[in-house]
Amino acid sequence: MSRAGRAFGQRARRNEDYDLLTGRAQFIDDITLPDTLHVAFVRSDLAHARINSIDTTEARKMPGVVAVYTAADLGDYWAPGPLLVPPPPVKRLEFFERTQVPLAKDKVVYAGEPYAAVVATSRYLAEDAAALVYLDADPLDAVIDLEAALAAGSPRVHEDLASNVAAKVTQFKGDYGSIEQSADLRITQRFVYDRGTAAAIENRGILAHFDPKAQKLLVWDTTQAPIPIRGGLARMLGLAVSQVHVIAPNIGGGFGPKIMMFYPEEVVVPWISKQLGRPVKWIEDRHENFYATTQERGQIHDAELAISKDGRIVGVKDVFLHDNGAHNPYGLTVPINSQCTLIGPYDIPHYHSEFTAVFTNRVTVTPYRGAGRQHGVFVMERLLDIAAKKLKIDPVEIRRRNYIPPEDFPKAQEVIYQDFAELVYDSGNYLPALEKALVHIDYERFRKEQQPQALAEGRHLGIGVVSYIEGTGIGPYEGARVCIEPGGKISIATGIGTQGQGHYTAFAQVVAEILGADIKDIHVVTGDTREFHWGSGTFASRGAVVAGNACHAAALKVREKAATLAATLLESSPDQLEFCDGVVRVAGSADKKISLGDLAAQANPLRGAVKPGTEPGLEATAYFGPDRGATASGVHAIVLEVDVETMMVAIKRYVVVHDCGRVINPLIVEGQIQGGVAQGIGNAFYEQLHVDENGQLLNASLMDFLLPTACDVPTVISDHVETPSPLTPLGVKGAGEAGTIPVGALYAQALEDALRPIAPDLTICEIPLSPNRLFELVYGDEKTSPGRENA
Amino acid sequence: MKPAPFKYFRPESLDEALALLAKHGDEAKVLAGGQSLIPAMNFRLAQPAILIDINRLSALSFIEEKRGQMHIGALTRHSMVERHPLVAQKAPLLAETMPNIAHVQIRNRGTFGGSIAHADPAAELPAAMTVRGARICLRSTRGERWVDAPQFFVGLLTTAMEPDELLTEVAFDELPKKTGWCFVEVARRHGDYALLGVAATVRLGMMGKVKDARICFVSAGETPALATNAQDALNGQAPSAELAKAAAQIAAAQDIDPPSDIHASARFRRHLATKLTERALNTAFARARGETR
Ligand SMILES: Cc1cc2nc3c(=O)[nH]c(=O)nc-3n(C[C@H](O)[C@H](O)[C@H](O)COP(=O)(O)OP(=O)(O)OC[C@H]3O[C@@H](n4cnc5c(N)ncnc54)[C@H](O)[C@@H]3O)c2cc1C
């Protein structure tokens, strides 16, 4: 590690792991309050239907039932949710906003949409009663297929709109039209990326307690963004923000869907608590999670690559459809990410990209780890692979030829990114990561020896090497408060929520570096609005970048305060002082020192006076807001083996070389990568939401929605390249999504390579894959070539 | 995912259990390991009014050998069967089958009888037991009867059991001499129900020719039916790789009617049946000849 400090850059074990791994950490369902009521939401079986009436009479009579609510009961409180992210300032953009509602009123627009809430003394009784809420509705044809949705005469998800178009956006760089005709080679191809769901280990949950005597609302919520939830709830419920306290305790995985605001349950459960003056709990069950939590991924791309004979990209054109699901509270975030990330680490002089976001009768799409980036990477990487094959260039070499050279940074890409700023890569150096990855995967030897030897034994090995970039660390801002306590402990409070990222350790390392403390003495609080109430949330790989730099800034302020006071007490000057091992000492005179705890006590005296112009305590708050995001990058490489008789795939070796600028803690980055790769593998080869033409999900359980397990995910060999970001004092970039983004592209390339001896013309243009799908791709489907497998 | 209300009985003896079944059989379900029943209840796909929990009937948990026959009690946990030396010695096909059933945690709870009674065509044990010509013992207050596996498995999740009957044990021949065996399956992930599986035993007779070949499939139809056409093609022939291949093709083409679902098309299942049967037969041939174990 080039610039590792005492704490910063160290492979420190995580402060939070003891509690997490021994089952001591507090999650929402661990919290029990006396007299708590439980809610079961009644969800539509139909994907698209007009509601005539909802009969709750029988349900109300059931034992233990306290109340049953429908949209009609919500009165003025019923309102569509906010548009979280309005469209960015792109010219000639069309956008139609339709956001989710608390409970369906006139129509249901996706299977699983809640239309009633049953409140009872236990969840069991609530579910018994929920079975007796009757929905009288006329089924409507469901809008499922993206292309059919846009055909004239298609049923409409939102009938007040002229069509199912949710948005149309065109962005470009250079002038693709001007080079289109003259390129040596043009490759056109359709790519399809289907949906999955994040399937966090902890489902969502809310416990709301409105105390009528205190007139205060306390909400525990599995949200990635407690502060916006607090502000929104106060506004909706007509309360002052100071009357609302939101806590996001430990959360078992966020991955993006836990920052959808507001979920129907988040609106309804606190309202019920206010109505009834009792604590009210709703814990999403695994089955509900397939309907009640947002999803991501569905896109269809028609892409074209213009390339020179020697394998240099001249331009790319991409026209794609994006499945929005039933609502678009997240505006254009996901498709804009796809659009911008497609460019990747490559020098693409001419780029034309247009997309149409489409409303469908499916669960709403919001960002899920990768958040549209995988699609862009898949398209670009596949185009390069196809070109490499046509031009007879090694797939690794074609990437080398097209990387943006290090001297070109910062690199303006002329398109607007999800943070509304022009996409400018702050820094990057792509070749070293590729070369490192090739060494780890032993590329040359694989091609020359391992692959041919294996084939001679009838074994089919394949190799893949792909690149990607990851836009990270976007604004607007985060804040942190750092305080040295008289006992010598240091506390950090920040507004973002934590879902397993290791914030309690990473932020401690940032502060420990400045204050010379042991990270074990640093206590981090995240996601409690009473502890810190400015900020937006944990998303878009921004925690370490934005909140991390805020911690850094606050620690510097505290250090300055501490140094001023210590200089007086030690009869020295601030610039003579060293902070280390929990003490402040005068450089060169070992006995002139004071512990941080004693210093904090002195800063908060019982007698005497705190002088005008100074503040008590060693505490400071600071904020950090970057102008734009920092662009991380990396390379994934894989060797896998396909049993060509059964189409089962085994991973032999998996390498990730990642560049997220300066690394706060390599262990945490590697953990993020390992987990991200697991999710990427799931996305590439296991997880698929099978929906029929009526919008019915056919595999709403973990029995049939296949998450890869420990047996299916290899230990990733990770390595780092550090190209610091010039945008932030710490030079860090985000790493949260790096593990997932390129895995689909990687699988496609490696599987083609492995299958080449039996299917030389195979081009894989879709994700997810499966053994069954590989079989169809190799042998054709029933109609086109029955019986070919036996030939 | 909470079950609908139900009444719960936990009999302490077999007689008590049979009496409860006689009284409530129509609206009751037996609860054994609960690894299939409880998920179905939590999804409210099954809403039995009464549960009769047989987990106290420890007399139904045993593995014995009597006069060349293996007897396994209905309440014997999968994990016990998996690790039992008698099974390894006398019923190597079963020993090879067990690790394919679900995950360790589920095998610690799930029971032998539960798996047979549940009659899931994607489950391993019905196929492995059909291949071994197992007989299934059913008890009620009316008495006891033994039913042969092919008559027991009558359809998808459907058996010849009457509502008042309890499955108490399963008996089957120990593997004869000069008999090879193989269980092989393909599942998406370790522990998943198989996309397709094959259980096979091959007994060699005089001159080393196939005397008694038996093949049965997992996930290839509504019941675990024997592949009679393929068996006929094998019997009387000298074992060889060509024979294995030919028989596998017959089995896949004529003996099964595999379903299409989200995980595999019928055609892919037939393809897997061909490849896995070929592998299974080759392994069984080699084991029958004593070349490998
Ligand atoms: C995640 C998961 C994966 C699994 N994967 C597999 C797999 O790969 N292969 C596989 O074979 N199984 C698998 N199973 C099922 C598991 O093996 C079950 O244990 C088995 O199918 C049923 O056994 P049980 O004792 O749990 O029965 P229960 O769930 O208790 O009962 C199942 C049914 O049988 C009836 N029943 C049970 N015992 C008797 C009896 N003695 N007499 C009469 N009726 C009875 C019950 O009334 C019920 O209808 C899996 C289960 C899970 C949860």
Side-chain angles (χ1 to χ4, degrees), chain A residues 482-510:
Chain A
V482 171
C483 177
I484 303 176
E485 297 172 3
K489 299 264 182 211
I490 296 172
S491 63
I492 304 174
T494 171
I496 65 171
T498 200
Q499 304 90 38
Q501 293 90 341
H503 291 148
Y504 297 173
T505 313
F507 296 159
Q509 285 177 267
V510 168

PDB file of all heavy atoms in Angstrom, chain A residues 482-510:
ATOM      1  N   VAL A 482     -17.461  14.848  15.033  1.00  0.00           N
ATOM      2  CA  VAL A 482     -16.442  14.068  15.730  1.00  0.00           C
ATOM      3  C   VAL A 482     -16.248  14.685  17.101  1.00  0.00           C
ATOM      4  O   VAL A 482     -16.178  15.913  17.232  1.00  0.00           O
ATOM      5  CB  VAL A 482     -15.116  14.070  14.932  1.00  0.00           C
ATOM      6  CG1 VAL A 482     -13.987  13.445  15.749  1.00  0.00           C
ATOM      7  CG2 VAL A 482     -15.291  13.323  13.608  1.00  0.00           C
ATOM      8  N   CYS A 483     -16.188  13.857  18.120  1.00  0.00           N
ATOM      9  CA  CYS A 483     -16.058  14.383  19.473  1.00  0.00           C
ATOM     10  C   CYS A 483     -15.107  13.498  20.273  1.00  0.00           C
ATOM     11  O   CYS A 483     -15.263  12.271  20.308  1.00  0.00           O
ATOM     12  CB  CYS A 483     -17.434  14.411  20.135  1.00  0.00           C
ATOM     13  SG  CYS A 483     -17.389  14.962  21.839  1.00  0.00           S
ATOM     14  N   ILE A 484     -14.112  14.136  20.906  1.00  0.00           N
ATOM     15  CA  ILE A 484     -13.260  13.391  21.835  1.00  0.00           C
ATOM     16  C   ILE A 484     -13.925  13.507  23.202  1.00  0.00           C
ATOM     17  O   ILE A 484     -14.232  14.609  23.667  1.00  0.00           O
ATOM     18  CB  ILE A 484     -11.837  13.977  21.888  1.00  0.00           C
ATOM     19  CG1 ILE A 484     -11.214  13.993  20.487  1.00  0.00           C
ATOM     20  CG2 ILE A 484     -10.971  13.172  22.865  1.00  0.00           C
ATOM     21  CD1 ILE A 484      -9.841  14.642  20.427  1.00  0.00           C
ATOM     22  N   GLU A 485     -14.174  12.359  23.817  1.00  0.00           N
ATOM     23  CA  GLU A 485     -14.876  12.376  25.102  1.00  0.00           C
ATOM     24  C   GLU A 485     -13.878  12.349  26.253  1.00  0.00           C
ATOM     25  O   GLU A 485     -12.767  11.825  26.096  1.00  0.00           O
ATOM     26  CB  GLU A 485     -15.812  11.161  25.181  1.00  0.00           C
ATOM     27  CG  GLU A 485     -16.902  11.195  24.130  1.00  0.00           C
ATOM     28  CD  GLU A 485     -17.702   9.893  24.080  1.00  0.00           C
ATOM     29  OE1 GLU A 485     -17.438   8.988  24.898  1.00  0.00           O
ATOM     30  OE2 GLU A 485     -18.586   9.805  23.209  1.00  0.00           O
ATOM     31  N   PRO A 486     -14.291  12.851  27.401  1.00  0.00           N
ATOM     32  CA  PRO A 486     -13.369  12.898  28.548  1.00  0.00           C
ATOM     33  C   PRO A 486     -12.831  11.520  28.936  1.00  0.00           C
ATOM     34  O   PRO A 486     -11.719  11.409  29.434  1.00  0.00           O
ATOM     35  CB  PRO A 486     -14.224  13.481  29.678  1.00  0.00           C
ATOM     36  CG  PRO A 486     -15.278  14.269  28.969  1.00  0.00           C
ATOM     37  CD  PRO A 486     -15.558  13.542  27.686  1.00  0.00           C
ATOM     38  N   GLY A 487     -13.568  10.476  28.654  1.00  0.00           N
ATOM     39  CA  GLY A 487     -13.051   9.135  28.966  1.00  0.00           C
ATOM     40  C   GLY A 487     -11.991   8.665  27.983  1.00  0.00           C
ATOM     41  O   GLY A 487     -11.424   7.576  28.145  1.00  0.00           O
ATOM     42  N   GLY A 488     -11.743   9.432  26.962  1.00  0.00           N
ATOM     43  CA  GLY A 488     -10.729   9.052  25.986  1.00  0.00           C
ATOM     44  C   GLY A 488     -11.312   8.385  24.747  1.00  0.00           C
ATOM     45  O   GLY A 488     -10.613   8.156  23.768  1.00  0.00           O
ATOM     46  N   LYS A 489     -12.597   8.066  24.801  1.00  0.00           N
ATOM     47  CA  LYS A 489     -13.227   7.507  23.600  1.00  0.00           C
ATOM     48  C   LYS A 489     -13.508   8.640  22.618  1.00  0.00           C
ATOM     49  O   LYS A 489     -13.656   9.794  23.011  1.00  0.00           O
ATOM     50  CB  LYS A 489     -14.559   6.843  23.964  1.00  0.00           C
ATOM     51  CG  LYS A 489     -14.416   5.697  24.934  1.00  0.00           C
ATOM     52  CD  LYS A 489     -14.361   4.378  24.205  1.00  0.00           C
ATOM     53  CE  LYS A 489     -14.275   3.229  25.194  1.00  0.00           C
ATOM     54  NZ  LYS A 489     -13.533   2.098  24.691  1.00  0.00           N
ATOM     55  N   ILE A 490     -13.612   8.259  21.383  1.00  0.00           N
ATOM     56  CA  ILE A 490     -13.945   9.252  20.353  1.00  0.00           C
ATOM     57  C   ILE A 490     -15.233   8.812  19.691  1.00  0.00           C
ATOM     58  O   ILE A 490     -15.392   7.631  19.360  1.00  0.00           O
ATOM     59  CB  ILE A 490     -12.808   9.357  19.317  1.00  0.00           C
ATOM     60  CG1 ILE A 490     -11.541   9.879  20.006  1.00  0.00           C
ATOM     61  CG2 ILE A 490     -13.220  10.255  18.155  1.00  0.00           C
ATOM     62  CD1 ILE A 490     -10.303   9.847  19.142  1.00  0.00           C
ATOM     63  N   SER A 491     -16.163   9.724  19.539  1.00  0.00           N
ATOM     64  CA  SER A 491     -17.394   9.343  18.856  1.00  0.00           C
ATOM     65  C   SER A 491     -17.504  10.063  17.522  1.00  0.00           C
ATOM     66  O   SER A 491     -17.082  11.210  17.377  1.00  0.00           O
ATOM     67  CB  SER A 491     -18.610   9.624  19.738  1.00  0.00           C
ATOM     68  OG  SER A 491     -18.709  10.993  19.971  1.00  0.00           O
ATOM     69  N   ILE A 492     -18.043   9.333  16.579  1.00  0.00           N
ATOM     70  CA  ILE A 492     -18.317   9.906  15.261  1.00  0.00           C
ATOM     71  C   ILE A 492     -19.795   9.688  15.001  1.00  0.00           C
ATOM     72  O   ILE A 492     -20.303   8.586  15.214  1.00  0.00           O
ATOM     73  CB  ILE A 492     -17.543   9.176  14.141  1.00  0.00           C
ATOM     74  CG1 ILE A 492     -16.040   9.166  14.413  1.00  0.00           C
ATOM     75  CG2 ILE A 492     -17.847   9.785  12.780  1.00  0.00           C
ATOM     76  CD1 ILE A 492     -15.245   8.327  13.399  1.00  0.00           C
ATOM     77  N   ALA A 493     -20.473  10.718  14.550  1.00  0.00           N
ATOM     78  CA  ALA A 493     -21.865  10.535  14.131  1.00  0.00           C
ATOM     79  C   ALA A 493     -22.004  11.047  12.712  1.00  0.00           C
ATOM     80  O   ALA A 493     -21.479  12.106  12.371  1.00  0.00           O
ATOM     81  CB  ALA A 493     -22.801  11.285  15.056  1.00  0.00           C
ATOM     82  N   THR A 494     -22.663  10.243  11.888  1.00  0.00           N
ATOM     83  CA  THR A 494     -22.928  10.704  10.530  1.00  0.00           C
ATOM     84  C   THR A 494     -24.337  10.284  10.152  1.00  0.00           C
ATOM     85  O   THR A 494     -24.912   9.393  10.775  1.00  0.00           O
ATOM     86  CB  THR A 494     -21.874  10.181   9.534  1.00  0.00           C
ATOM     87  OG1 THR A 494     -22.311  10.482   8.205  1.00  0.00           O
ATOM     88  CG2 THR A 494     -21.678   8.691   9.640  1.00  0.00           C
ATOM     89  N   GLY A 495     -24.894  10.932   9.145  1.00  0.00           N
ATOM     90  CA  GLY A 495     -26.305  10.724   8.859  1.00  0.00           C
ATOM     91  C   GLY A 495     -26.613   9.498   8.025  1.00  0.00           C
ATOM     92  O   GLY A 495     -27.723   8.994   8.048  1.00  0.00           O
ATOM     93  N   ILE A 496     -25.645   8.984   7.300  1.00  0.00           N
ATOM     94  CA  ILE A 496     -25.951   7.888   6.388  1.00  0.00           C
ATOM     95  C   ILE A 496     -26.246   6.612   7.168  1.00  0.00           C
ATOM     96  O   ILE A 496     -25.766   6.438   8.277  1.00  0.00           O
ATOM     97  CB  ILE A 496     -24.794   7.642   5.397  1.00  0.00           C
ATOM     98  CG1 ILE A 496     -23.547   7.156   6.124  1.00  0.00           C
ATOM     99  CG2 ILE A 496     -24.489   8.894   4.597  1.00  0.00           C
ATOM    100  CD1 ILE A 496     -22.465   6.688   5.181  1.00  0.00           C
ATOM    101  N   GLY A 497     -27.028   5.755   6.589  1.00  0.00           N
ATOM    102  CA  GLY A 497     -27.319   4.465   7.233  1.00  0.00           C
ATOM    103  C   GLY A 497     -26.228   3.468   6.895  1.00  0.00           C
ATOM    104  O   GLY A 497     -25.407   3.681   5.998  1.00  0.00           O
ATOM    105  N   THR A 498     -26.204   2.364   7.615  1.00  0.00           N
ATOM    106  CA  THR A 498     -25.179   1.364   7.358  1.00  0.00           C
ATOM    107  C   THR A 498     -25.838   0.007   7.157  1.00  0.00           C
ATOM    108  O   THR A 498     -26.749  -0.361   7.894  1.00  0.00           O
ATOM    109  CB  THR A 498     -24.125   1.361   8.487  1.00  0.00           C
ATOM    110  OG1 THR A 498     -22.942   0.750   7.999  1.00  0.00           O
ATOM    111  CG2 THR A 498     -24.587   0.634   9.732  1.00  0.00           C
ATOM    112  N   GLN A 499     -25.437  -0.702   6.131  1.00  0.00           N
ATOM    113  CA  GLN A 499     -26.067  -1.996   5.826  1.00  0.00           C
ATOM    114  C   GLN A 499     -25.023  -3.085   5.666  1.00  0.00           C
ATOM    115  O   GLN A 499     -25.189  -4.016   4.899  1.00  0.00           O
ATOM    116  CB  GLN A 499     -26.907  -1.894   4.541  1.00  0.00           C
ATOM    117  CG  GLN A 499     -27.958  -0.818   4.547  1.00  0.00           C
ATOM    118  CD  GLN A 499     -27.420   0.503   4.025  1.00  0.00           C
ATOM    119  OE1 GLN A 499     -26.637   0.533   3.086  1.00  0.00           O
ATOM    120  NE2 GLN A 499     -27.837   1.599   4.618  1.00  0.00           N
ATOM    121  N   GLY A 500     -23.903  -2.924   6.366  1.00  0.00           N
ATOM    122  CA  GLY A 500     -22.884  -3.959   6.321  1.00  0.00           C
ATOM    123  C   GLY A 500     -21.592  -3.518   5.655  1.00  0.00           C
ATOM    124  O   GLY A 500     -20.681  -4.321   5.468  1.00  0.00           O
ATOM    125  N   GLN A 501     -21.498  -2.248   5.302  1.00  0.00           N
ATOM    126  CA  GLN A 501     -20.331  -1.793   4.527  1.00  0.00           C
ATOM    127  C   GLN A 501     -19.054  -1.665   5.341  1.00  0.00           C
ATOM    128  O   GLN A 501     -17.988  -1.434   4.775  1.00  0.00           O
ATOM    129  CB  GLN A 501     -20.632  -0.426   3.887  1.00  0.00           C
ATOM    130  CG  GLN A 501     -21.699  -0.460   2.828  1.00  0.00           C
ATOM    131  CD  GLN A 501     -23.089  -0.245   3.375  1.00  0.00           C
ATOM    132  OE1 GLN A 501     -23.351  -0.407   4.561  1.00  0.00           O
ATOM    133  NE2 GLN A 501     -24.005   0.100   2.512  1.00  0.00           N
ATOM    134  N   GLY A 502     -19.153  -1.710   6.653  1.00  0.00           N
ATOM    135  CA  GLY A 502     -17.938  -1.536   7.455  1.00  0.00           C
ATOM    136  C   GLY A 502     -17.673  -0.087   7.827  1.00  0.00           C
ATOM    137  O   GLY A 502     -16.544   0.293   8.136  1.00  0.00           O
ATOM    138  N   HIS A 503     -18.725   0.725   7.834  1.00  0.00           N
ATOM    139  CA  HIS A 503     -18.565   2.150   8.169  1.00  0.00           C
ATOM    140  C   HIS A 503     -17.956   2.353   9.551  1.00  0.00           C
ATOM    141  O   HIS A 503     -17.219   3.305   9.773  1.00  0.00           O
ATOM    142  CB  HIS A 503     -19.935   2.848   8.154  1.00  0.00           C
ATOM    143  CG  HIS A 503     -20.516   2.953   6.785  1.00  0.00           C
ATOM    144  ND1 HIS A 503     -21.872   2.926   6.550  1.00  0.00           N
ATOM    145  CD2 HIS A 503     -19.942   3.094   5.578  1.00  0.00           C
ATOM    146  CE1 HIS A 503     -22.108   3.042   5.252  1.00  0.00           C
ATOM    147  NE2 HIS A 503     -20.955   3.136   4.639  1.00  0.00           N
ATOM    148  N   TYR A 504     -18.282   1.455  10.501  1.00  0.00           N
ATOM    149  CA  TYR A 504     -17.803   1.665  11.877  1.00  0.00           C
ATOM    150  C   TYR A 504     -16.290   1.555  11.934  1.00  0.00           C
ATOM    151  O   TYR A 504     -15.663   2.007  12.868  1.00  0.00           O
ATOM    152  CB  TYR A 504     -18.427   0.642  12.831  1.00  0.00           C
ATOM    153  CG  TYR A 504     -19.937   0.741  12.964  1.00  0.00           C
ATOM    154  CD1 TYR A 504     -20.650  -0.218  13.683  1.00  0.00           C
ATOM    155  CD2 TYR A 504     -20.648   1.784  12.392  1.00  0.00           C
ATOM    156  CE1 TYR A 504     -22.032  -0.139  13.816  1.00  0.00           C
ATOM    157  CE2 TYR A 504     -22.021   1.865  12.510  1.00  0.00           C
ATOM    158  CZ  TYR A 504     -22.711   0.899  13.217  1.00  0.00           C
ATOM    159  OH  TYR A 504     -24.069   0.967  13.344  1.00  0.00           O
ATOM    160  N   THR A 505     -15.738   0.918  10.940  1.00  0.00           N
ATOM    161  CA  THR A 505     -14.294   0.748  10.900  1.00  0.00           C
ATOM    162  C   THR A 505     -13.632   1.770   9.969  1.00  0.00           C
ATOM    163  O   THR A 505     -12.661   2.424  10.334  1.00  0.00           O
ATOM    164  CB  THR A 505     -13.952  -0.672  10.431  1.00  0.00           C
ATOM    165  OG1 THR A 505     -14.771  -1.578  11.164  1.00  0.00           O
ATOM    166  CG2 THR A 505     -12.490  -0.987  10.662  1.00  0.00           C
ATOM    167  N   ALA A 506     -14.206   1.900   8.776  1.00  0.00           N
ATOM    168  CA  ALA A 506     -13.576   2.789   7.789  1.00  0.00           C
ATOM    169  C   ALA A 506     -13.555   4.235   8.299  1.00  0.00           C
ATOM    170  O   ALA A 506     -12.532   4.918   8.214  1.00  0.00           O
ATOM    171  CB  ALA A 506     -14.309   2.705   6.461  1.00  0.00           C
ATOM    172  N   PHE A 507     -14.683   4.698   8.847  1.00  0.00           N
ATOM    173  CA  PHE A 507     -14.714   6.078   9.338  1.00  0.00           C
ATOM    174  C   PHE A 507     -13.785   6.223  10.544  1.00  0.00           C
ATOM    175  O   PHE A 507     -13.123   7.246  10.721  1.00  0.00           O
ATOM    176  CB  PHE A 507     -16.144   6.487   9.707  1.00  0.00           C
ATOM    177  CG  PHE A 507     -17.079   6.512   8.518  1.00  0.00           C
ATOM    178  CD1 PHE A 507     -18.463   6.434   8.694  1.00  0.00           C
ATOM    179  CD2 PHE A 507     -16.590   6.620   7.224  1.00  0.00           C
ATOM    180  CE1 PHE A 507     -19.324   6.453   7.604  1.00  0.00           C
ATOM    181  CE2 PHE A 507     -17.452   6.635   6.125  1.00  0.00           C
ATOM    182  CZ  PHE A 507     -18.817   6.544   6.318  1.00  0.00           C
ATOM    183  N   ALA A 508     -13.734   5.189  11.365  1.00  0.00           N
ATOM    184  CA  ALA A 508     -12.829   5.218  12.522  1.00  0.00           C
ATOM    185  C   ALA A 508     -11.385   5.340  12.047  1.00  0.00           C
ATOM    186  O   ALA A 508     -10.584   6.069  12.636  1.00  0.00           O
ATOM    187  CB  ALA A 508     -13.017   3.970  13.368  1.00  0.00           C
ATOM    188  N   GLN A 509     -11.050   4.650  10.957  1.00  0.00           N
ATOM    189  CA  GLN A 509      -9.669   4.726  10.457  1.00  0.00           C
ATOM    190  C   GLN A 509      -9.329   6.128   9.963  1.00  0.00           C
ATOM    191  O   GLN A 509      -8.230   6.620  10.177  1.00  0.00           O
ATOM    192  CB  GLN A 509      -9.459   3.702   9.335  1.00  0.00           C
ATOM    193  CG  GLN A 509      -9.336   2.284   9.864  1.00  0.00           C
ATOM    194  CD  GLN A 509      -9.204   1.257   8.745  1.00  0.00           C
ATOM    195  OE1 GLN A 509     -10.200   0.703   8.303  1.00  0.00           O
ATOM    196  NE2 GLN A 509      -7.986   1.010   8.292  1.00  0.00           N
ATOM    197  N   VAL A 510     -10.306   6.751   9.294  1.00  0.00           N
ATOM    198  CA  VAL A 510     -10.072   8.106   8.784  1.00  0.00           C
ATOM    199  C   VAL A 510      -9.789   9.056   9.951  1.00  0.00           C
ATOM    200  O   VAL A 510      -8.845   9.850   9.921  1.00  0.00           O
ATOM    201  CB  VAL A 510     -11.307   8.586   7.977  1.00  0.00           C
ATOM    202  CG1 VAL A 510     -11.227  10.072   7.676  1.00  0.00           C
ATOM    203  CG2 VAL A 510     -11.440   7.785   6.687  1.00  0.00           C
TER     204      VAL A 510
END
